[in-house]
Amino acid sequence: MRVLVTGAAGSLGRVITVGLVELGHDVVGLDLVPAPEGTPYAWHEADCADGDAVEAVFAAERLDAVVHLAGAPEELSLPDELTSHVITTAALLDAMVAHRVHRIVYASSNHAVGRTPRAAGELTEQALPRPDTYYGVAKVAAEALLQLFSDRHGIDAVACRIGSFLEQPTSVRGLSTWLSHGDGVRMVEAALSAPAPGFAVLYGISANTRGWWDLEPGRRLGYEPQDDAEDFAGSIEPGPDDEAEAEFPGGPFAMARFHRPAL
Ligand code: 15L
C-alpha cells in the first residue's frame, strides 16, 4: 500500500514509518519539518492544517491510505487544539474524497475518554466521549469528523485511542496505559488492512496485565497486542502522583492542574 504518514518526523511517526516500510508498504512522509537525513522514501514539508498544501500533496502522489499522526501532543488553547487535530483531519478527509483515497487511520487518544471515572470499570468502545482537556475535546471532534466522512462518503476510518506510546513504561500509570513500539506498528497495520471497518474505534494499548481498556474492538480488526508493561513493573519507582493519576484514565491530564474547583 502507498501510505501517507502525517507527523512522520514525530515520536509516533518515526517509529510507525520504519515499521510500515519493514512490512513492505510504500511510505510518503508529511511533516512541518524537512525529512531527516537518509530518509529512504518520498517526503513533503507542509502543514496539514493548510488545505491547499494538503491538496497539493494528494495531487502529487498516488495514495491508497492515510495514517494521520500529526498533532500537538499536549494541552494548548482550544483554538490551537482544534487547528492541530480537527482542521488537519478535515483537510486530509477533503483531499481523500477529492482523490478517492478510501482509508484513514487516526491517532486519537485515551484523553477522548480520559475523564471517565475509573470506578466505572473497563472502558469499552461504547464509552461516551468524556475528554479531560481541550486536547481530548479536539480528539473527540476529530473522531466525529471521521464518523461523518464514513457515513457521507464511505471512507473507512479507524480511530486508535492511543495510551502512552513509549519505548517502555516510565510510571505506575504507564503499567496500565503503555503502547509498545512493536504493538503500535501492529495496531496501525491492522487498522490499515482490516476489511471494510467503516468507522471504528480501538484502544491503542499493549496487552498490559493492569490495562484499563477493552482490547476486543482492536482484536476484531486484527490488532493482537503482544507486549505487556508488567515485564517492566520491577523497574518502576512509585511516584507522588500515582494515586491521583489512577483516578481517571487520563492521569495527569485529568488532574487538578487542568481542572479548577467548580464555580
Ligand atoms: C496522549 O495522547 C498524549 O499525546 C501524550 O502526550 C501522553 O499524554 C499520552 O496521551 C498519555 O496519556 O500518556
Side-chain angles (χ1 to χ4, degrees), residues 118-196:
R118 286 263 336 289
E122 190 179 62
L123 273 147
T124 70
E125 84 221 271
Q126 265 82 42
L128 292 174
R130 195 137 179 199
D132 49 29
T133 42
Y134 291 144
Y135 171 77
V137 167
K139 291 297 191 189
V140 169
E143 286 190 10
L145 262 183
L146 297 177
Q147 173 83 76
L148 175 68
F149 275 70
S150 175
D151 291 339
R152 202 180 251 179
H153 301 286
I155 279 178
D156 285 317
V158 181
C160 305
R161 292 182 179 161
I162 296 171
S164 308
F165 184 70
L166 297 167
E167 251 179 271
Q168 57 182 73
T170 54
S171 66
V172 170
R173 173 175 177 264
L175 296 176
S176 300
T177 62
W178 187 51
L179 173 65
S180 72
H181 284 183
D183 283 339
V185 173
R186 283 183 272 278
M187 174 193 78
V188 171
E189 171 65 359
L192 277 174
S193 49

Side-chain angles (χ1 to χ4, degrees), residues 48 54 58 66 68 85-106 141-150 153 155-157:
C48 301
V54 170
F58 277 70
V66 174
H68 183 23
H85 305 288
V86 186
I87 302 299
T88 60
T89 304
L92 290 162
L93 286 166
D94 281 340
M96 286 174 66
V97 171
H99 294 270
R100 299 179 180 279
V101 178
H102 291 277
R103 169 93 42 144
I104 181 166
V105 178
Y106 179 55
E143 286 190 10
L145 262 183
L146 297 177
Q147 173 83 76
L148 175 68
F149 275 70
S150 175
H153 301 286
I155 279 178
D156 285 317

Side-chain angles (χ1 to χ4, degrees), residues 218-241:
R219 289 199 170 106
R220 281 201 300 275
L221 296 176
Y223 168 47
E224 276 297 337
Q226 288 176 20
D227 297 316
D228 184 347
E230 209 58 27
D231 295 344
F232 299 89
S235 61
I236 304 285
E237 295 293 331
D241 291 334

